[in-house]
Amino acid sequence: MDIRELKRLFTDELREKEEEGCDVSFFKGFDIESLREDILLILYEELSSLKPSDGFFYIEPSTLDEIKKYRPDGPRRLDISLSDEALKDKVLGGIFGRCAGCLLGKPVEGWTRKEIEEYLNLAGLEELDYYFPYVESDEEPFSRIKQVRGWTAGNIDRMVRDDDIDYTILGLHILEDYGKNFTTDDIAREWLTHLPYSLVYTAERVTYRNLVNGIKPPETATFMNPYREWIGAQIRADIFGYVNPGYPERAGEFAFRDASLSHTKNGIYGEMFISATIASAFAVSNVESAVEIGLTEIPKTSRLYEAINNVIDWCRRERNWKNVWSKVMDQYGSYHPVHTINNACFVVLGLILSEGDFEKAIATSVMCGFDTDCNGATSGSIMGVLLGYKNLPKRWIEPLNDTVESIVTGFERTRISDLGERIFRLTKR
């Protein structure tokens, strides 16, 4: 590791520790750029050992037993009476909805809401109601669209490779090979054999490096990993919800085993919450119920639980996504644009205010900005399960040509429907 990366990790760790409720004032007094490597390493170790201050009233454990201790009452398992045909339809809805939502947000990943709206205005649009139009511009960030024309309306012929889909596919492979009793160590082994290091990011890249250096879970999630509460685990959640229809508790447990490889606290809760919400979507008739049930699988003493509860309340009172977006930004806009908490808020905002409309859900979640491909994918996945494949608007599905690309070894180019069929077989197993 070179000194520049070490400085970046230290700076990010400083921010992470402060968000976790630690008093970092001592460390803010140092000029990081002027420090020697040996001094910086000593400071990093001291910073990493900090515990939340007494005034930090959130309780955010990272072990499954403690998470269960602090979670609210919930149904844990729901009655479902779906025929095989109906169950498969919901599974297919989830995977196709995930691909469509992901591709919708992919061209503008990392953009702010303001930048997205300005780009749409260039195209003569006020709101997003389909895949992004192609508009040539030399102004940043709009000029980037020139490089991704194949991801825009009228130019799409498949679901192109994206890490949000890679992890769904890898999760499928893990469940097929190891079954429901897979372990965190199994996941670690599969990362090293099926994912190229250069195409994993933030917490996952740090974790990958830790694994190569012989560090074992759960330390892989904490050693020099300031991205442990970012969105990386949340985007890996879907497969564990798909294979546990009507069983949010078990979906959350599967997600925990996956998330704890690379994440802690709210990073873990994000994956548990989304997987449990997807599992619930098989058994309920409206998306708000699925969200509320999914939320019962994470600690009610956590920042993520509080944030999602706030969004649910704001949506009920406001019914206007822009007003709710402003409230989210006021409260949680200081988190990094790829943090779990703010992006989960945008997903829930889009879901609840969609009133059951697939298009509205994914478009609103993407219009919020930040990690747009992740949020569009998650919204599309949940709505796809809730509505089923047969009820998804064909204009969103047909451009995908039932084809998805992936970096996962053995899945380089696959039929989306084949993935759905294999997931369905796992639900029956």
Side-chain angles (χ1 to χ4, degrees), residues 320-354:
N320 179 296
W321 79 263
K322 293 180 180 179
N323 291 347
V324 178
W325 178 89
S326 295
K327 290 181 180 293
V328 171
M329 290 300 292
D330 286 344
Q331 291 288 324
Y332 309 110
S334 62
Y335 286 111
H336 193 278
V338 294
H339 199 278
T340 294
I341 292 175
N342 46 14
N343 285 288
C345 288
F346 293 151
V347 169
V348 172
L349 181 166
L351 291 172
I352 294 180
L353 295 181
S354 73

Side-chain angles (χ1 to χ4, degrees), residues 82-101 159 165 168 172 238-239 241-243 245 278 281-282 358 377-394 396-398 400-404 414-428:
L82 298 172
S83 66
D84 283 358
E85 182 183 357
L87 180 59
K88 183 188 291 188
D89 186 62
K90 284 184 174 291
V91 170
L92 285 171
I95 190 67
F96 272 97
R98 181 162 184 78
C99 288
M159 175 64 225
I165 310 301
T168 305
L172 167 63
D238 297 57
I239 185 65
Y242 296 156
V243 301
I278 291 172
F282 282 91
F358 175 82
T378 301
S379 292
S381 180
I382 295 168
M383 291 300 297
V385 168
L386 187 78
L387 298 171
Y389 176 77
K390 292 177 182 176
N391 292 316
L392 295 183
K394 295 300 181 283
W396 289 94
I397 303 305
E398 289 174 352
L400 303 176
N401 285 316
D402 195 15
T403 302
V404 59
T414 310
R415 292 174 66 88
I416 303 171
S417 56
D418 287 347
L419 296 177
E421 178 66 38
R422 291 167 71 165
I423 295 168
F424 168 69
R425 290 200 293 268
L426 288 175
T427 68
K428 297 298 292 179

Side-chain angles (χ1 to χ4, degrees), residues 111 113-128 132-133 135 142 322 367:
W111 291 20
R113 173 189 154 188
K114 183 174 183 291
E115 289 169 336
I116 292 171
E117 289 176 339
E118 288 176 349
Y119 180 80
L120 290 175
N121 288 339
L122 289 177
L125 300 173
E126 292 185 4
E127 294 282 344
L128 184 64
F132 277 89
V135 178
F142 313 136
K322 293 180 180 179
M367 282 285 291

Side-chain angles (χ1 to χ4, degrees), residues 301-320:
T301 54
S302 66
R303 284 169 282 153
L304 180 61
Y305 184 93
E306 178 187 73
I308 300 305
N309 253 340
N310 282 339
V311 172
I312 293 171
D313 181 57
W314 294 334
C315 287
R316 286 172 177 166
R317 289 192 281 115
E318 294 285 349
R319 310 308 303 178
N320 179 296

Side-chain angles (χ1 to χ4, degrees), residues 96-299:
F96 272 97
R98 181 162 184 78
C99 288
C102 181
L103 192 54
L104 173 64
K106 193 169 175 62
V108 296
E109 181 180 5
W111 291 20
T112 65
R113 173 189 154 188
K114 183 174 183 291
E115 289 169 336
I116 292 171
E117 289 176 339
E118 288 176 349
Y119 180 80
L120 290 175
N121 288 339
L122 289 177
L125 300 173
E126 292 185 4
E127 294 282 344
L128 184 64
D129 60 1
Y130 191 54
Y131 293 111
F132 277 89
Y134 178 76
V135 178
E136 286 201 19
S137 172
D138 293 327
E139 184 180 346
E140 281 293 324
F142 313 136
S143 60
R144 300 177 210 166
I145 298 293
K146 295 177 183 179
Q147 303 168 26
V148 296
R149 185 167 188 159
W151 307 351
T152 59
N155 301 300
I156 296 168
D157 62 4
R158 67 197 184 283
M159 175 64 225
V160 295
R161 181 262 155 182
D162 189 277
D163 59 337
D164 294 82
I165 310 301
D166 289 333
Y167 287 112
T168 305
I169 291 172
L170 183 62
L172 167 63
H173 168 68
I174 289 168
L175 287 164
E176 287 180 331
D177 277 16
Y178 297 94
K180 67 180 182 180
N181 294 319
F182 72 92
T183 67
T184 304
D185 286 332
D186 293 332
I187 294 170
R189 189 178 307 111
E190 292 299 307
W191 279 26
L192 295 178
T193 55
H194 285 76
L195 296 177
Y197 174 76
S198 62
L199 291 176
V200 297
Y201 314 104
T202 62
E204 287 69 30
R205 178 168 291 192
V206 172
T207 297
Y208 200 120
R209 183 174 62 207
N210 285 341
L211 288 169
V212 170
N213 288 331
I215 298 172
K216 302 294 184 182
E219 191 181 357
T220 45
T222 57
F223 183 73
M224 300 192 82
N225 183 5
Y227 315 115
R228 56 189 176 270
E229 290 194 291
W230 287 19
I231 201 174
Q234 186 164 284
I235 71 172
R236 310 198 308 255
D238 297 57
I239 185 65
F240 306 117
Y242 296 156
V243 301
N244 287 296
Y247 206 157
E249 180 177 49
R250 192 166 66 183
E253 290 173 355
F254 280 27
F256 172 83
R257 285 182 239 161
D258 179 77
S260 58
L261 175 63
S262 55
H263 286 70
T264 63
K265 299 183 179 182
N266 294 279
I268 292 175
Y269 311 154
E271 182 166 356
M272 294 182 71
F273 164 57
I274 295 301
S275 62
T277 298
I278 291 172
S280 301
F282 282 91
V284 300
S285 59
N286 67 83
V287 75
E288 189 168 336
S289 294
V291 169
E292 290 177 328
I293 294 169
L295 199 55
T296 66
E297 293 301 327
I298 70 172

